[in-house]
Structures are given as C-alpha cells and as structure tokens.
Amino acid sequence: DLHDARAETLLDLDEAEAALASARTALAAGPPPARYSTAEGAGAHRSHALAGAALERLYRFRDAAEAYGAALARRPDYAPAWERLLLLGALDASLRPLWREAAEAAGRLRIAGTKAGLRPTFPAGELLEGLCELGLPAEAEALWALAAARPPGPLAAGLWRVQRGEAEAGRRV
C-alpha cells in the first residue's frame, strides 16, 4: 500500500521515473496476505495501472499499454485500465492488438470464473462507452464479442452501424 501511495504522490508531483520505481517495488512485493487490511489491488492490478500511468508520462506508450494489459489480466473489470488502454490504442493503431489480448483474457477469466461458481464482474458500461467513442465499429464489435457474454445493447449496435455509414439502419436499431 505504501509503495502504491508513494507512486500516486510522485505522479501528482510529476516525478514519473520515481513513481515507476515505486510501482515496480509494489509489484515485486506482490499482493499482501489476506489477513491484512489493504487497498484492493496493491501489488497487483492497481500497481500495474500506476506503472502504466508513469510510463505514459515518460512517453513510453507501448510499455504503458502493456502495463494496463497486465492490470486487466489480473482483474478484467478494472475500468481505469480499460479506459487508458483504449485511449492509447485510439491514438496509436499499433497498440490495438493489445486490446484484443486484454479482451481475450477477460473472456477467459469470465468463463473460468463461471465454471468455478464465481461470477467475475465485467465493466460492461464503461467498456461499451469507450468502444462507442472510438469511431472504429469493426474493432469495437470484435472486442465486445471477445470480452462480454452478451451482445451489445441497441444504442451501441445502432451507433456502430452509423459509424459504418449505415445511418438509416442505425436509426432503426
């Protein structure tokens, strides 16, 4: 927790290198034992996301995207990591394959959790909103199909059709 808190503070002070070092220290320590009261994701998905934020500030966008992907591999419903990963891919098309990797991991974890009787949550609303804003309908539909267990709602389906140039069909949906 202290390493993550230090990383957040250093990011606020715009000391990205030191923040990255703190996030990596938290990751090296790993998640605390269950018997301790701690912030969720310390030494795990939260620390990966903090490392991603520091890497973005250092203009190491591929490394940042990979850090967000690592956060999502541990917790597929972590909306802040999805938000940043989608934004980086929207700005740099070479990072979009990382979207697919994160969505596939989320789908695998969701399916495994269902078989085990667990029901991991998935940030459906946040992910749909981010996908709709991308203006990349084919990529959005593919990601949704990999990550979610259900088809997109009518608003998203209609918007993706409009983005493809099928305005009348989109309005009907």
Side-chain angles (χ1 to χ4, degrees), residues 5-147:
R6 183 171 189 266
E8 288 175 349
T9 301
L10 290 166
L11 282 171
D12 287 344
L13 295 172
D14 203 24
E15 295 182 26
E17 287 284 354
L20 178 60
S22 287
R24 286 182 171 160
T25 301
L27 287 166
R35 67 182 175 269
Y36 293 116
S37 175
T38 183
E40 184 185 358
H45 65 273
R46 187 167 154 243
S47 302
H48 279 293
L50 285 168
L55 289 161
E56 276 190 71
R57 297 246 180 115
L58 295 169
Y59 303 101
R60 293 171 51 189
F61 300 120
R62 174 160 295 281
D63 293 337
E66 289 171 356
Y68 295 131
L72 293 167
R74 288 181 172 246
R75 185 172 158 197
D77 68 335
Y78 196 52
W82 272 115
E83 180 181 305
R84 299 308 301 172
L85 182 60
L86 290 173
L87 176 65
L88 288 172
L91 297 173
D92 182 350
S94 73
L95 300 176
R96 291 181 192 161
L98 297 174
W99 291 351
R100 182 176 186 84
E101 290 174 23
E104 286 174 341
R108 281 192 303 274
L109 288 174
R110 178 183 40 75
I111 290 166
T114 302
K115 288 179 184 173
L118 309 169
R119 302 287 262 149
T121 58
F122 187 75
E126 293 91 339
L127 182 59
L128 258 180
E129 184 178 328
L131 292 173
C132 285
E133 289 176 3
L134 290 175
L136 302 166
E139 290 89 339
E141 284 183 296
L143 280 179
W144 184 258
L146 287 169

